[in-house]
Amino acid sequence: MARDTPKVTKRQLLTSGAAVSAAAIAGCIGGSGNGNDNTFLFTQEQAREDQFDPVVSNDAYSFQVIQLVFDGLYEYDEGLQLQPKLATGEPTVERDGTRYIFEIEEAAEFHNGDDVTAADVAHSFTAPVEEETENAAEYNMIESTEVIDDYQLQVDLGDEPYGPFELATMGVTVVPESVRTDDREAFNTDPVGSGPFQFAELGSDYVEIERWDDYWDDLEPNLERVRFESHEDNAGRVSAIRGEDTDAIAGIPNADWDVLENENGVNLHSAESPTFMYMAFNCNEGPTTNPEVRRGIAHSFSMSDFIESSAGNVTSPMYSPVPPVVNEVWGFPEDEYQDMLPEYDPDRAQSLLDEHAPDDFEPTIITPAGLRARLAERIATRLDEIGYGAEVEQLDFATLVDRYHTGSTDDYHMYLLGWTGGPDPDYYLYPLFHESQTGENGNQGHYYEGSEDFHDDIARARNMAGQEERYDVYEPVIREIVEQLPVLPAFTQDNTMASRDYVQGLQAHPEVTRNPTLVADYTNVSME
């Protein structure tokens, strides 16, 4: 389930959007940060859990290290499309999309000199489920694996295809089975991978990796050593990059974007992420079960004005539950969805609410702190201007979840949350809209019943193999969500970084775990 706690999972990210200006704050957090040696210091925006076994780790910031030490069977390109890495090419697909046969690069080696084999890939696919790790749900559609020979692996999914398999699941991070199973605890803090960097040192507040000079791929990193530190204070990170106390930082606060943009010797990097921030309505009981009331509330304020004034540097507007960067892979008619959403029209809002809402209607909006709380306050202010108002309650995440699971108007009429998925609509539509995801262990509390085929289509599309066929099922589902507004799309948060100008080739990636990408077909970061 998605979290709003300090832990940020690699698939399900919920961030507050809080921004603290550091324009007038001085100080440093240590590190080389001078470009004179070839140790690249990267300051992360949240502390790592320091779990570096990909089978076990579900922490986005540990995975930022993992993705440099390990190779995937397939890896994302500059966007969210998988390309072969340890695989020689695309898999052979049989049995109507339920069997995949992979060929492994024979040249690939782990850092200890062992060959990467089909058995290692099989273990990487099956271990999360067998060991019941937090990553099990990403692979539990796999029924069995069969090692055909050292460099061929067969993966069977059972009776039905799994739609996201080719877009996401095939990107499994590959571990050496024998080394890992010999001592899992040691492997978690001193891992052996096949990536361009090898593990060097784990300190109490840092981790260092070093270039693997015998990297099997043709790509040789320019950087000799990389050091990861974390600084959760926005002002501290911004001060560090301005003071040349670090080479690069992640997570630029909106309020400091212009300051850094005008700072000599600093470059900014940004990429839209697969995050989905939204406001959901209680469709289980009360006035917001009526779509006209939901439209009235949506007409009462301007989402675009809020985004521009509060977070325009680090967010992008959304018009459906599929983030724009994900839609680059799918091509849903985003312009049509934008035209369908209610525009700011207070007269229309008042007319709809006067006709369809009770005279004493004053909805309760529950929200976490930060940017979404400011959005809730903006909505309450605009509703007050047309004679209704709203009560905004800022809650910690655990309390908020307990509340929205009840489906009761005594607890909420609307709630604001966020979600991070991946390159497949299933990562958003199933957990956030399917009827199975309500209740204590579910991910949604709007309880939208939908049209006759709404829930069946969401489930059906995830068990189809062809992207074109799945598109035809998903598009009417997305259109219904935009029309009926059980959830109002808000914005997607960008992945942002700042670097000193002697850092060459750094660019932000949509997937937070891929930042920083230091060596790939499209870049090779250096310090000059």
Side-chain angles (χ1 to χ4, degrees), residues 386-398:
I386 60 173
Y388 287 91
E391 179 184 359
V392 176
E393 294 187 42
Q394 290 190 38
L395 304 173
D396 63 82
F397 185 63

Side-chain angles (χ1 to χ4, degrees), residues 1-180:
M1 186 175 64
R3 292 178 169 87
D4 238 299
T5 63
K7 175 170 181 174
V8 181
T9 67
K10 61 191 177 78
R11 280 289 176 216
Q12 298 161 324
L13 172 71
L14 283 155
T15 52
S16 67
V20 178
S21 176
I25 297 177
C28 64
I29 61 174
S32 60
N34 53 27
N36 293 330
D37 60 31
N38 212 16
T39 296
F40 176 71
L41 174 57
F42 185 75
T43 302
Q44 298 171 285
E45 61 193 298
Q46 289 198 29
R48 301 172 309 279
E49 291 189 348
D50 286 341
Q51 288 190 327
F52 302 109
D53 178 357
V55 173
V56 174
S57 181
N58 198 33
D59 164 41
Y61 300 97
S62 294
F63 247 85
Q64 291 181 338
V65 181
I66 288 170
Q67 58 100 8
L68 295 167
V69 174
F70 293 84
D71 282 328
L73 185 61
Y74 295 80
E75 294 182 351
Y76 288 129
D77 59 10
E78 294 173 86
L80 292 178
Q81 298 199 57
L82 291 177
Q83 303 294 328
K85 184 62 178 181
L86 289 170
T88 60
E90 297 302 317
T92 300
V93 184
E94 299 177 350
R95 288 196 333 182
D96 297 323
T98 63
R99 171 171 289 171
Y100 291 82
I101 299 173
F102 300 96
E103 294 208 15
I104 316 302
E105 288 280 1
E106 295 188 22
E109 291 184 349
F110 291 109
H111 300 148
N112 65 354
D114 291 347
D115 290 342
V116 177
T117 68
D120 297 311
V121 180
H123 176 72
S124 304
F125 272 128
T126 59
V129 177
E130 292 172 350
E131 299 174 23
E132 299 180 346
T133 76
E134 289 188 65
N135 299 319
E138 296 184 31
Y139 305 101
N140 62 8
M141 77 296 299
I142 296 174
E143 182 179 77
S144 65
T145 61
E146 179 183 340
V147 175
I148 299 171
D149 58 37
D150 283 350
Y151 300 104
Q152 287 192 87
L153 175 68
Q154 176 179 299
V155 177
D156 288 344
L157 305 186
D159 295 332
E160 293 183 307
Y162 179 64
F165 189 83
E166 294 185 34
L167 292 174
T169 313
M170 294 194 324
V172 61
T173 304
V174 177
V175 300
E177 179 180 17
S178 61
V179 178
R180 179 180 177 275

Side-chain angles (χ1 to χ4, degrees), residues 359-399:
D359 292 339
D360 59 350
F361 181 51
E362 187 171 318
T364 299
I365 309 175
I366 58 176
T367 177
L371 183 60
R372 283 165 294 185
R374 298 206 299 275
L375 174 56
E377 293 290 353
R378 174 73 63 89
I379 296 168
T381 298
R382 295 294 182 258
L383 285 172
D384 184 67
E385 291 172 356
I386 60 173
Y388 287 91
E391 179 184 359
V392 176
E393 294 187 42
Q394 290 190 38
L395 304 173
D396 63 82
F397 185 63
T399 302

Side-chain angles (χ1 to χ4, degrees), residues 451-510:
S451 60
E452 181 179 359
D453 297 325
F454 181 81
H455 297 286
D456 289 342
D457 284 346
I458 291 174
R460 182 164 65 93
R462 73 177 348 213
N463 294 125
M464 298 171 66
Q467 185 169 339
E468 291 184 7
E469 292 80 0
R470 297 178 70 220
Y471 176 101
D472 291 339
V473 177
Y474 277 137
E475 201 285 321
V477 168
I478 296 170
R479 187 173 294 270
E480 179 175 335
I481 292 168
V482 176
E483 286 179 341
Q484 298 300 315
L485 292 180
V487 164
L488 178 65
F491 53 87
T492 182
Q493 292 186 310
D494 300 338
N495 288 330
T496 59
M497 296 186 292
S499 63
R500 299 302 306 182
D501 59 2
Y502 53 76
V503 177
Q504 303 295 311
L506 187 66
Q507 55 184 290
H509 195 277

Side-chain angles (χ1 to χ4, degrees), residues 193-499:
S194 64
F197 293 87
Q198 58 186 341
F199 213 75
E201 185 177 352
L202 176 61
S204 59
D205 58 355
Y206 69 90
V207 61
E208 292 192 2
I209 57 178
E210 60 187 4
R211 181 172 64 201
W212 182 32
D213 291 329
D214 295 323
Y215 187 39
W216 66 271
D217 199 351
D218 292 334
L219 298 170
E220 179 178 334
N222 288 322
L223 297 173
E224 294 177 4
R225 199 171 181 95
V226 183
R227 181 182 177 100
F228 289 84
E229 297 180 359
S230 63
H231 202 302
E232 297 187 6
D233 176 60
N234 289 336
R237 288 196 312 282
V238 172
S239 179
I241 195 66
R242 297 183 72 196
E244 300 184 54
D245 297 309
T246 185
D247 299 314
I249 65 170
I252 302 173
N254 182 73
D256 291 302
W257 184 275
D258 292 340
V259 172
L260 291 178
E261 192 170 41
N262 293 311
E263 181 85 8
N264 288 332
V266 174
N267 294 324
L268 303 185
H269 317 274
S270 178
E272 290 184 353
S273 76
T275 54
F276 170 42
M277 302 295 161
Y278 61 90
M279 180 173 71
F281 294 92
N282 186 339
C283 300
N284 188 59
E285 64 179 38
T288 51
T289 59
N290 187 334
E292 297 303 324
V293 172
R294 302 197 292 268
R295 292 189 187 97
I297 294 171
H299 275 301
S300 72
F301 72 101
S302 172
M303 184 73 78
S304 60
D305 285 354
F306 173 80
I307 293 170
E308 183 62 30
S309 63
S310 300
N313 294 314
V314 296
T315 63
S316 303
M318 286 188 63
Y319 309 111
S320 84
V322 177
V325 69
V326 178
N327 198 44
E328 290 178 8
V329 182
W330 286 81
F332 294 113
E334 201 167 69
D335 290 344
E336 292 182 27
Y337 301 152
Q338 181 179 358
D339 292 340
M340 291 165 58
L341 287 172
E343 295 181 343
Y344 176 51
D345 186 342
D347 292 336
R348 178 62 175 157
Q350 184 170 0
S351 175
L352 286 169
L353 294 177
D354 286 349
E355 181 177 355
H356 298 284
D359 292 339
D360 59 350
F361 181 51
E362 187 171 318
T364 299
I365 309 175
I366 58 176
T367 177
L371 183 60
R372 283 165 294 185
R374 298 206 299 275
L375 174 56
E377 293 290 353
R378 174 73 63 89
I379 296 168
T381 298
R382 295 294 182 258
L383 285 172
D384 184 67
E385 291 172 356
I386 60 173
Y388 287 91
E391 179 184 359
V392 176
E393 294 187 42
Q394 290 190 38
L395 304 173
D396 63 82
F397 185 63
T399 302
L400 193 153
V401 169
D402 287 342
R403 286 273 199 94
Y404 79 64
H405 280 156
T406 68
S408 171
T409 52
D410 291 338
D411 293 317
Y412 69 99
H413 294 88
M414 295 109 83
Y415 65 88
L416 282 84
L417 272 180
W419 187 263
T420 285
D424 197 287
D426 177 76
Y427 288 134
Y428 305 88
L429 298 178
Y430 192 86
L432 296 180
F433 293 93
H434 193 261
E435 58 191 354
S436 66
Q437 299 300 300
T438 59
E440 184 176 353
N441 296 317
N443 297 307
Q444 60 103 332
H446 50 75
Y447 290 86
Y448 177 64
E449 291 186 2
S451 60
E452 181 179 359
D453 297 325
F454 181 81
H455 297 286
D456 289 342
D457 284 346
I458 291 174
R460 182 164 65 93
R462 73 177 348 213
N463 294 125
M464 298 171 66
Q467 185 169 339
E468 291 184 7
E469 292 80 0
R470 297 178 70 220
Y471 176 101
D472 291 339
V473 177
Y474 277 137
E475 201 285 321
V477 168
I478 296 170
R479 187 173 294 270
E480 179 175 335
I481 292 168
V482 176
E483 286 179 341
Q484 298 300 315
L485 292 180
V487 164
L488 178 65
F491 53 87
T492 182
Q493 292 186 310
D494 300 338
N495 288 330
T496 59
M497 296 186 292
S499 63

